Amino acid sequence: MYRASLRLSSAALTAALLAACSGGDNSTPAPQQSLAQGSAVQGGAPEAKKKPKPVACADMNGQSVPASSLGLPTGGASVTSATLVTPAEGVQYCQLLGKIIPSVSAPAGTPDIRFQLNLPTDWNGKAVQMGGAGYGGVVVDATGAVPFAPGFAPLQQRFATYGSDTGHVGGVGSAEFALNEAAIANFGYEHLKKTHDAAFALIKLHYAEAPKRSYFAGGSTGGREGMTAIQRYPHDYDGAVVSAPAINFAGVRLHGVKVGQAAYGVPGGYLNQTKQALVHSTVLAHCDADDGLQDSIVGNVAACRTKSAAITAALRCPGGADTGNSCLSDAQLNTVNVIASDLVLPYQLAHGVNRHHGYNILQGANFAPAPGLGSSPDLGSPPGALTNGYLFSQGDGYIKYFITKNSTYSSIGFDIANPGMWQQRLVDMSGIVGATNPDLDAFRGHGGKLIVLHGLADEVISPNATIAYYQAQIAKMGQHNVNKFMRFYTVPGLGHSVGTFVPSWNAVDILDDWVSKGDDPETLKGVDVNAATAGRSRPLCRYPAFPRYKGHGDVNKASSYQCATS
């Protein structure tokens, strides 16, 4: 059975988010108060015996949350702006902007955590914390769709939604904030708890009741945040939906450095964009039809993996020397192999992890579109995402700011296998910014539900790392017990929110139905949002199955496919 819900039209969603206007509030202003004790005793009756009254949107401005109400040390939180937003289409909501200030013990210069909380007038009684991207630094406004689930916005589905900037100001590609240790801790995990607790206090103040369900939704870094949230603060969440989670965040960054070293530290190792595209087209020539249909999607990744040697041979220039854009030299094939192979470490990172799993570049992941592997054979200082590739530029920033604390350090010379004086720092950081803890028992024990989705063509976060985490859960507790609280879907053709097939699916509603109604999600349905193929559908299959074309029926309808394992 397929699970699907009505999608918001793109026009409605655009109008709700971009054409919103501010409205007034005619309620009598309520006195501002701290959330620590409530208002004073009146008429001799203790305040605790009185049912609290909702606080109107306009009166939320200036409200504060004391440090004692947050589960981690802070200087408390405050609302800096409250606006009633009444869009032409969609739900009306109270938009709160606020900040959480550092504790007095935080290092000098530690930034505030900025957050946004959206409170629908017609609230469904539930809340969704939404994750960010890259290195954060930008407030997640939480008004749009769940990452990797376009078309469905929890706010428009009447959930209270909120997000933060992870505790610093900067671009999602910038790691400079990591010079401040407190900012690293906020980015890694602390902002999640601090923002959650501040949001819940303000939700309770506005509605005079707490959320009856609490969820997390995010992708990429936001997916890593979702996994971190249920590992570190399991009782704060009833469920989480995460996509392309950067679970092994440190491993991703080290792998990126290794790719840069192969491309720019070895003579002739760089692949120009024509050759990057050649790798992808050669893979399609060998593997596209393995799922029963030639549609530029490698569906049967397992079968394609058995052809890796043949694909490599087809790509190699005669004799191994570079003879032009129709083939790859041995140095360039080495770069491809570094991307495809696991990065194995002779030491252990947090939770015993000693590897980062390779990418599916030889099974359909397309590294040709920008930023991919970069557009320049010349190494920039610092490396740029567009010129030298996303993986390398992000990894270089990690080494500079998280590890060595030296903005001029060149990661081209960083010895990943033998990091010497930096080894303990690598281990320590992997525990702060990663989500590799295999222990989900507390989350599972209180009835938490987890839905994970990852594109098999992801070129930024390797799906094989997520597969390894899922398989470890099965090894730890058995498939039957995993099935009680976790669903894992892998999607052929889906890259890092882009690709040949980019599905829209009603992520939070599906999660909520599982938590609230006990509706176990099985095979789902995804509807493509790519302009050229908009509206075509495919089943979203539980790992390790993939959509195999039945050999008859409309190729653009999910009903023409079955989830198969071979």
Side-chain angles (χ1 to χ4, degrees):
M1 297 281 300
Y2 295 121
R3 296 280 314 282
S5 299
L6 292 175
R7 288 191 297 154
L8 293 171
S9 71
S10 59
L13 185 56
T14 299
L17 301 181
L18 299 182
C21 61
S22 298
D25 194 316
N26 296 322
S27 303
T28 301
Q32 294 180 357
Q33 61 188 41
S34 164
L35 302 186
Q37 301 296 333
S39 36
V41 175
Q42 299 179 7
E47 178 67 20
K49 294 183 179 180
K50 290 188 174 183
K51 183 177 180 180
K53 294 181 179 181
V55 175
C57 183
D59 299 323
M60 291 297 292
N61 190 28
Q63 297 286 353
S64 63
V65 181
S68 60
S69 293
L70 306 184
L72 293 175
T74 72
S78 62
V79 176
T80 58
S81 171
T83 305
L84 187 66
V85 179
T86 306
E89 296 182 46
V91 304
Q92 182 186 72
Y93 64 97
C94 180
Q95 178 196 85
L96 302 184
L97 302 180
K99 63 181 180 180
I100 304 167
I101 64 175
S103 67
V104 294
S105 62
T110 299
D112 296 336
I113 298 171
R114 300 175 302 152
F115 65 88
Q116 179 166 328
L117 170 61
N118 309 300
L119 304 167
T121 301
D122 183 19
W123 184 40
N124 68 6
K126 305 169 187 180
V128 180
Q129 184 172 8
M130 297 181 69
Y135 282 123
V138 178
V139 175
V140 175
D141 67 23
T143 60
V146 172
F148 296 80
F152 294 97
L155 177 60
Q156 297 301 318
Q157 296 166 315
R158 301 185 298 111
F159 290 88
T161 63
Y162 60 102
S164 85
D165 65 357
T166 74
H168 65 275
V169 177
V172 295
S174 176
E176 286 89 340
F177 73 92
L179 294 174
N180 181 296
E181 290 297 298
I184 291 178
N186 275 333
F187 170 76
Y189 60 95
E190 289 190 0
H191 83 97
L192 298 169
K193 177 64 173 172
K194 295 170 183 176
T195 306
H196 168 276
D197 290 357
F200 266 51
L202 294 169
I203 289 171
K204 189 172 183 179
L205 183 66
H206 179 64
Y207 295 115
E209 62 178 292
K212 58 189 176 184
R213 297 293 184 194
S214 172
Y215 301 125
F216 196 102
S220 193
T221 282
R224 188 264 300 169
E225 290 173 334
M227 296 300 296
T228 298
I230 65 173
Q231 290 167 12
R232 289 184 180 268
Y233 314 112
H235 296 286
D236 284 347
Y237 303 93
D238 298 296
V241 55
V242 304
S243 297
I247 293 173
N248 187 356
F249 190 89
V252 173
R253 296 301 179 240
L254 291 177
H255 207 143
V257 170
K258 191 72 172 178
V259 171
Q261 291 173 343
Y264 293 99
V266 176
Y270 170 74
L271 285 71
N272 64 32
Q273 290 179 300
T274 300
K275 294 197 177 197
Q276 294 170 30
L278 176 65
V279 174
H280 185 60
S281 63
T282 303
V283 170
L284 289 179
H286 282 76
C287 302
D288 188 358
D290 288 345
D291 58 3
L293 182 69
Q294 286 191 314
D295 56 358
S296 298
I297 296 174
V298 176
N300 192 346
V301 167
C304 190
R305 202 174 300 282
T306 67
K307 302 177 182 181
S308 295
I311 293 169
T312 299
L315 286 168
R316 186 174 186 260
C317 294
D322 193 346
T323 58
N325 286 337
S326 62
C327 59
L328 270 60
S329 69
D330 284 348
Q332 291 160 350
L333 284 172
N334 176 65
T335 300
V336 171
N337 185 60
V338 166
I339 297 168
S341 301
D342 291 359
L343 171 64
V344 181
L345 305 173
Y347 51 90
Q348 292 185 342
L349 300 176
H351 306 293
V353 172
N354 73 336
R355 70 178 59 221
H356 180 258
H357 295 78
Y359 293 80
N360 290 338
I361 189 171
L362 295 176
Q363 292 83 37
N366 188 0
F367 282 76
L373 298 179
S375 59
S376 174
D378 300 318
L379 178 60
S381 181
L386 291 176
T387 53
N388 305 125
Y390 179 84
L391 291 179
F392 180 39
S393 67
Q394 295 286 280
D396 180 76
Y398 185 75
I399 297 299
K400 280 181 167 67
Y401 298 105
F402 282 79
I403 306 302
T404 68
K405 302 285 190 175
N406 182 350
S407 62
T408 64
Y409 190 95
S410 174
S411 64
I412 284 291
F414 188 80
D415 191 339
I416 297 173
N418 300 286
M421 62 183 291
W422 306 118
Q423 181 170 316
Q424 190 58 50
R425 180 72 178 175
L426 287 169
V427 174
D428 293 344
M429 283 298 98
S430 70
I432 293 173
V433 301
T436 55
N437 188 345
D439 187 1
L440 299 178
D441 288 348
F443 177 72
R444 177 173 65 99
H446 82 80
K449 305 298 184 186
L450 172 63
I451 297 176
V452 182
L453 178 139
H454 209 139
L456 290 170
D458 198 319
E459 76 287 4
V460 172
I461 305 298
S462 173
N464 298 310
T466 308
I467 289 170
Y469 187 90
Y470 176 71
Q471 291 173 330
Q473 290 296 310
I474 295 173
K476 180 175 181 285
M477 66 182 71
Q479 186 73 66
H480 176 71
N481 287 324
V482 170
N483 288 346
K484 290 180 180 179
F485 83 102
M486 184 177 184
R487 292 288 184 273
F488 179 37
Y489 300 88
T490 49
V491 185
L494 174 62
H496 204 65
S497 77
V498 295
T500 312
F501 179 67
V502 180
S504 174
W505 58 294
N506 199 347
V508 172
D509 264 7
I510 291 170
L511 175 67
D512 184 40
D513 284 348
W514 192 11
V515 172
S516 300
K517 303 176 183 178
D519 294 347
D520 293 15
E522 292 298 333
T523 300
L524 308 178
K525 183 169 76 171
V527 179
D528 198 355
V529 299
N530 280 319
T533 49
R536 68 171 173 173
S537 60
R538 293 279 191 280
L540 303 180
C541 301
R542 292 177 59 185
Y543 176 84
F546 65 91
R548 172 177 282 283
Y549 181 56
K550 295 178 180 178
H552 55 84
D554 189 339
V555 298
N556 292 316
K557 292 185 177 180
S559 58
S560 300
Y561 299 80
Q562 61 184 357
C563 290
T565 56
S566 63

